[in-house]
Amino acid sequence: MGASRSMVRELRGLIRAMVRSSYGPRDEVRFSLREIAGRAAAEAERQAIRLALRATRGNKSEAARLLRVDYKTLHLKIMHFGISAEQFRQS
């Protein structure tokens, strides 16, 4: 449950940052709900990958099983998000 609250808090922060970064008055938000949802989903996915890697001490095969995704998919996502599995092997 704590992880859910943390993700909600991060989503709120992301939305606030997006609103602040738009130019012009606040009522001229330049991000669509689809863009906000896409960014929030990407951030949630990044966090889930990091949590899985932490839980498996950086073992990508185990993390892929935990996340119920193909190893190759996880590997591509790790590269996309710039996550290093090595940092989780040491923790």
Side-chain angles (χ1 to χ4, degrees):
M1 182 129 181
S4 297
R5 288 182 182 170
S6 174
M7 291 177 78
V8 169
R9 196 169 33 251
E10 288 181 31
L11 177 57
R12 283 185 185 142
L14 174 66
I15 292 170
R16 286 184 182 127
M18 291 172 70
V19 169
R20 280 193 303 267
S21 70
S22 66
Y23 299 104
R26 283 187 155 217
D27 57 349
E28 289 183 27
V29 176
R30 299 202 173 169
F31 299 101
S32 70
L33 288 177
R34 182 171 290 180
E35 288 174 304
I36 291 170
R39 289 181 184 201
E43 179 59 22
E45 190 173 53
R46 186 182 74 78
Q47 287 294 338
I49 291 169
R50 291 179 57 79
L51 287 171
L53 287 170
R54 184 175 299 131
T56 61
R57 294 185 168 253
N59 185 313
K60 291 188 275 186
S61 294
E62 285 184 36
R65 279 191 289 279
L66 186 65
L67 294 169
R68 298 182 194 163
V69 298
D70 184 69
Y71 175 85
K72 185 175 180 179
T73 300
L74 179 63
H75 181 72
L76 291 172
K77 295 283 186 179
I78 287 171
M79 289 175 42
H80 172 77
F81 290 120
I83 298 171
S84 169
E86 286 296 320
Q87 75 185 67
F88 297 100
R89 289 188 183 121
Q90 299 166 2
S91 45

